[in-house]
Amino acid sequence: MNAVLPPLPRAMLIDMDDTILSAYGRPEIAWNTITAEFAEELAPLPPPMVATAVLAFARNFWANAEAAWRMKLAEARHLTVKGGFAALAAAGHRALPDDLATRLADRFTAYREEEMFVFPGAHEAIDRFKALGIKLALVTNGAADMQRAKVERFELAHRFDHIQIEGEHGFGKPEERAYLHAMQALGVTAGDTWMIGDNLEWEVVTPQRLGIYAIWMDVHGEGLPEGSTVKPDRIIRSLGELLPDRA
């Protein structure tokens, strides 16, 4: 797939969460960590059982959730933990209280914030792209205050020519105007542009439909999901792989 590489583009649209930052990937690890912290209050239910139930409910919820829920992440987590608890109760296990669900969800949110970090080499790669004259847009979904705080915390603002946050602009991926607006802001066309990110629908399917070269970030090297029909133009594990001397 990567044997013959195109020349670097005039512009790149780059996702933030789990592309530049380790943010929400591998939620099973986070849920197992948090439920272990609450082991005494969850007893006699084993923490891994609770983690599995919550994660199953959360995955189903996000697979069908409306975009508006991305603006209410903490509230969505309250809902998904309560849903996991309800599923356990329906299976005949101990009924866990709603206040515990809320505290568990809030701790999960805090934990995710605490554990967030910039992937090694990401800042350096972005700085190299900029030095090479590539126009850069950060295109991220999520609530304005939460995403803007990450942009500032992880020193991203000065690295990009355009910052596009769903909650600030009123639209987000995979709406076509999210990509069109970013390209317009950079003064480029689809043929000039690469899109880079970890979500196959948001960073591959829709961009390809618009004629954008779509690069999927598979940071953990897990490969495409079984049965996936999506075919990224390229698959990488780090932004540094896109630099000319790393090709």
Side-chain angles (χ1 to χ4, degrees):
M1 177 180 292
N2 299 340
V4 180
L5 303 178
L8 287 171
R10 286 187 61 207
M12 292 181 182
L13 314 182
I14 306 178
D15 172 53
M16 181 167 65
D17 294 322
D18 298 304
T19 298
I20 298 171
L21 309 179
S22 176
Y24 304 122
R26 298 193 164 176
E28 65 282 356
I29 296 174
W31 280 119
N32 274 290
T33 299
I34 298 309
T35 54
E37 290 183 9
F38 285 79
E40 288 187 12
E41 292 187 76
L42 296 172
L45 298 184
M49 175 188 289
V50 178
T52 298
V54 169
L55 183 60
F57 191 93
R59 282 180 167 152
N60 183 66
F61 173 83
W62 287 113
N64 300 284
E66 296 179 357
W69 279 108
R70 295 199 293 266
M71 305 299 110
K72 302 181 291 184
L73 197 54
E75 185 180 337
R77 285 180 178 147
H78 291 169
L79 189 154
T80 56
V81 176
K82 289 176 183 177
F85 283 10
L88 288 167
H93 298 289
R94 175 195 166 197
L96 298 166
D98 281 353
D99 78 288
L100 177 55
T102 299
R103 287 187 289 114
L104 193 111
D106 289 345
R107 174 61 188 130
F108 180 88
T109 294
Y111 176 82
R112 284 301 219 185
E113 291 295 321
E114 293 163 10
E115 295 295 309
M116 216 168 276
F117 62 89
V118 177
F119 285 127
H123 275 166
E124 293 79 3
I126 294 165
D127 291 345
R128 282 283 307 281
F129 298 149
K130 195 173 184 72
L132 289 166
I134 298 170
K135 296 182 178 182
L136 301 174
L138 182 71
V139 183
T140 180
N141 283 357
D145 55 350
M146 181 177 69
Q147 298 302 84
R148 179 58 66 174
K150 292 180 200 171
V151 168
E152 300 304 325
R153 174 183 171 189
F154 295 108
E155 302 179 341
L156 298 175
H158 73 279
R159 292 186 152 90
F160 288 87
D161 303 294
H162 175 63
I163 302 283
Q164 188 170 303
I165 297 171
E166 181 182 20
E168 293 180 352
H169 284 73
F171 52 82
K173 302 171 289 188
E175 296 177 71
E176 289 189 358
R177 62 176 169 163
Y179 316 90
L180 298 173
H181 182 84
M183 289 189 293
Q184 182 180 36
L186 297 179
V188 296
T189 63
D192 299 324
T193 305
W194 290 1
M195 176 79 226
I196 306 154
D198 68 299
N199 185 296
L200 288 170
E201 177 65 31
W202 300 353
E203 275 91 45
V204 178
V205 175
T206 306
Q208 284 181 335
R209 189 165 65 241
L210 294 172
I212 298 169
Y213 186 85
I215 299 171
W216 183 52
M217 176 67 79
D218 178 23
V219 71
H220 299 297
E222 295 174 341
L224 291 167
E226 186 174 352
S228 174
T229 59
V230 181
K231 295 182 178 179
D233 293 299
R234 188 172 176 191
I235 299 174
I236 60 173
R237 294 189 63 178
S238 71
L239 291 173
E241 292 177 38
L242 301 177
L243 293 168
D245 54 3
R246 293 283 297 279

